[in-house]
Amino acid sequence: MYSVPTSTFDQYDLRSCRHDTLLLQSSPHAAEAGYVRPIHKPSATKRGRDGKQDEWPAEVYPAALALPGDELSIDPESSPQSVRSWQREKDRNPVTRQKNVIYVAVPPDVDPEVEFVKTWTHAKPLRHGKQNASTPGTELLTGAPNVQDILDYLSAFYYPLVVKPFSSQLTYASWDDETISTGSVPSSRRAGPRKRKSSPFSIALRTSTEAIRIRTRSSPNSPFHSQLNLDDLLDVAISILPSDAYALLLLVSHDLYEDDDDVFVCGRAYGGSRVAVVSSARYNPSLDDIHGVDREHAWPASHCKRYVEACCSAAPTPPPKRKKIKEMRTEAQGAKPSSPILVPSSPASPMDLALHHHINDPPSHRLLYLIRLALTSAHELGHCFGLDQCTYYACCMQGSASLAEDARQPPYLCPVCEEKVVLATGADRKERLRRIGEVCERWGWGTLGGWVKGVSREHGACEKRNEREEK
């Protein structure tokens, strides 16, 4: 993950940035990294103003930025998944009358015999002078977002599928009293060694039918005391998958790891098994400084020209580029070059409307916490529908290499991924957008709400143009 040095912030005047110019094409670094944007050719019902262009205008669906350290810069030759290739995917699970419900399991309860596990969800002060508050005055939020709000958002996002809570209670419990002693550890603040209590190597997660082992590990250099193993939690999700479920999402409050090389992981899906696990731990805005998250330049201000230039200038010299890019991507050479698009003084396009709310009505920290958890939940469930990481546009199905990049990505589906979801669920696009807009209005989420209003207007104008052309 690259962070922008303070000197660079000062050089580009980012501390008082008003985002007056947006860069809606890929960043200058994208070409250096070897990322070439694939071309998407939509059907006639989704074409642009003249009914003949290859793509929606960038003011509606901007390109992926591919900044230094972003997923697309690290893996620029990731194969794009077109709608046709998605349809031909043999392992994709179709929605059927027998399997058409998305279940959401709330974070497990904690048995009194392992009461200490509750403390693992509480962020702790870090060494080297780092604090949990990301900026002066930032409240240390406690308690994960309301699960009912997540249900409401997913119900709109994956309309018309039914989204409902998983009814059986899950509980963390003791796993055969297995413990690992940490013994005595030195402390730079005390004259002698300080004893620490033994911590469990594994705990159990009890379902209605069995107890499944969950490995844990201590994490001394993280904001949390200990972490739970993600693969073990995914095994639990598979075990409890109801017979009528299309997919099941297990929400957890604990920090997660997947293997020894991971610092942490926020979520993962086993798409073929139709299960996903998402943790809320790292999305607490109180931890943003630790993760290098710049809330001022979160989406849609992530496309701020000054910010993009600052990120690109702060990056180290890239390694020599390969002489040849994959042949399947060479058709994208005809894409439009990166160019700045001036934001008008009055909101007009979907991006303009979103930016207007970002500047004038930013979400509270509590709402931001909810938004982040909702977006990752929608992303991971997207993999259960067979969607790969998106490489076509800025999209909520993009891969993410850091929480800083996660905050820069949009909350909506791009035209390619939206078409896949619509085909999978049988949704009406207008109704789906309307329902998402309703959730935004209830939450007070003006950025996505503004974008939804703008893109609904674009869709309506496009349909009228196509009707006139047919006549």
Side-chain angles (χ1 to χ4, degrees):
M1 179 184 73
Y2 296 101
S3 58
V4 184
T6 302
S7 59
T8 307
F9 268 88
D10 294 337
Q11 177 185 350
Y12 286 89
D13 195 24
L14 294 182
R15 299 189 188 281
S16 58
C17 186
R18 295 295 295 174
H19 325 302
D20 55 352
T21 305
L22 296 185
L23 187 70
L24 301 182
Q25 305 297 332
S26 296
S27 73
H29 177 78
E32 297 177 4
Y35 168 68
V36 182
R37 183 184 175 195
I39 286 180
H40 166 233
K41 296 183 178 180
S43 61
T45 57
K46 296 184 287 296
R47 289 181 183 170
R49 291 181 172 84
D50 59 4
K52 298 178 181 179
Q53 64 186 53
D54 288 335
E55 298 183 318
W56 281 99
E59 297 93 329
V60 183
Y61 295 105
L65 288 169
L67 293 175
D70 282 1
E71 182 72 19
L72 284 175
S73 293
I74 297 171
D75 186 16
E77 297 185 14
S78 179
S79 299
Q81 183 194 46
S82 66
V83 175
R84 180 175 295 182
S85 64
W86 171 81
Q87 289 176 311
R88 293 177 175 178
E89 179 59 53
K90 294 180 180 179
D91 295 330
R92 180 172 61 86
N93 295 297
V95 177
T96 66
R97 291 183 178 180
Q98 293 75 33
K99 299 181 185 296
N100 59 3
V101 179
I102 296 175
Y103 284 93
V104 178
V106 302
D109 200 357
V110 177
D111 190 278
E113 62 184 346
V114 289
E115 187 77 12
F116 55 87
V117 171
K118 289 183 178 180
T119 66
W120 294 358
T121 64
H122 304 157
K124 64 177 188 280
L126 293 181
R127 297 173 183 175
H128 310 300
K130 290 186 178 180
Q131 301 297 321
N132 287 327
S134 58
T135 56
T138 298
E139 58 178 324
L140 182 60
L141 298 178
T142 58
N146 190 313
V147 174
Q148 184 57 53
D149 288 330
I150 303 296
L151 288 165
D152 292 344
Y153 183 75
L154 295 176
S155 295
F157 197 92
Y158 288 110
Y159 165 82
L161 268 62
V162 175
V163 179
K164 61 184 182 181
F166 180 71
S167 58
S168 297
Q169 180 63 53
L170 306 175
T171 306
Y172 294 119
S174 175
W175 179 260
D176 294 337
D177 297 322
E178 181 183 5
T179 61
I180 181 170
S181 176
T182 58
S184 299
V185 296
S187 171
S188 59
R189 297 184 180 182
R190 298 172 65 117
R194 178 166 55 92
K195 291 185 178 181
R196 286 170 55 184
K197 293 181 179 180
S198 297
S199 60
F201 177 73
S202 298
I203 59 175
L205 185 48
R206 287 201 305 249
T207 72
S208 61
T209 59
E210 61 182 329
I212 298 176
R213 177 194 179 200
I214 307 297
R215 289 166 289 173
T216 78
R217 73 175 185 187
S218 62
S219 49
N221 295 320
S222 94
F224 301 95
H225 180 279
S226 296
Q227 298 171 304
L228 306 184
N229 184 266
L230 175 61
D231 289 332
D232 295 343
L233 291 169
L234 283 163
D235 288 341
V236 172
I238 293 172
S239 171
I240 63 176
L241 187 68
S243 60
D244 63 340
Y246 178 77
L248 180 140
L249 169 68
L250 172 58
L251 297 174
V252 296
S253 302
H254 289 78
D255 200 27
L256 306 178
Y257 76 99
E258 197 164 14
D259 54 49
D260 291 340
D261 295 330
D262 287 329
V263 177
F264 67 90
V265 61
C266 292
R268 183 79 70 209
Y270 286 170
S273 299
R274 313 191 316 280
V275 296
V277 172
V278 172
S279 165
S280 62
R282 297 277 175 161
Y283 289 122
N284 191 326
S286 306
L287 306 176
D288 281 356
D289 259 6
I290 295 171
H291 299 126
V293 175
D294 180 1
R295 288 199 295 268
E296 292 297 319
H297 289 91
W299 180 87
S302 51
H303 290 271
C304 170
K305 183 173 180 286
R306 286 181 182 176
Y307 176 72
V308 172
E309 289 175 347
C311 289
C312 292
S313 69
T317 303
K321 294 185 294 183
R322 297 180 184 178
K323 293 183 179 180
K324 189 176 181 181
I325 296 175
K326 282 187 178 181
E327 184 177 352
M328 63 192 299
R329 287 179 170 270
T330 57
E331 65 172 357
Q333 297 289 349
K336 298 176 183 179
S338 297
S339 57
I341 296 177
L342 187 64
V343 178
S345 57
S346 60
S349 74
M351 284 295 290
D352 299 333
L353 289 165
L355 185 63
H356 174 78
H357 285 281
H358 175 80
I359 295 172
N360 297 290
D361 185 27
S364 67
H365 296 152
R366 179 64 64 184
L367 177 57
L368 193 58
Y369 197 0
L370 169 61
I371 289 169
R372 292 171 175 178
L373 182 59
L375 297 189
T376 299
S377 298
H379 173 99
E380 296 301 341
L381 283 171
H383 293 313
C384 295
F385 285 88
L387 277 67
D388 285 350
Q389 310 281 35
C390 182
T391 63
Y392 285 93
Y393 294 88
C395 174
C396 72
M397 285 306 300
Q398 281 181 256
S400 179
S402 66
L403 286 172
E405 180 184 4
D406 199 62
R408 292 193 291 262
Q409 293 176 351
Y412 56 76
L413 290 171
C414 76
V416 183
C417 294
E418 182 195 43
E419 187 168 356
K420 297 170 190 175
V421 168
V422 166
L423 289 171
T425 62
D428 176 82
R429 283 187 176 83
K430 288 183 181 179
E431 181 61 18
R432 177 180 175 273
L433 280 173
R434 187 189 69 78
R435 288 171 180 259
I436 292 175
E438 283 186 346
V439 173
C440 292
E441 187 172 353
R442 289 200 302 272
W443 290 5
W445 185 9
T447 47
L448 179 58
W451 184 89
V452 167
K453 290 179 181 178
V455 81
S456 297
R457 186 170 57 204
E458 289 279 346
H459 277 278
C462 182
E463 289 178 355
K464 290 180 180 179
R465 286 192 297 270
N466 289 330
E467 289 175 1
R468 287 196 300 266
E469 289 177 3
E470 291 176 359
K471 292 179 180 178

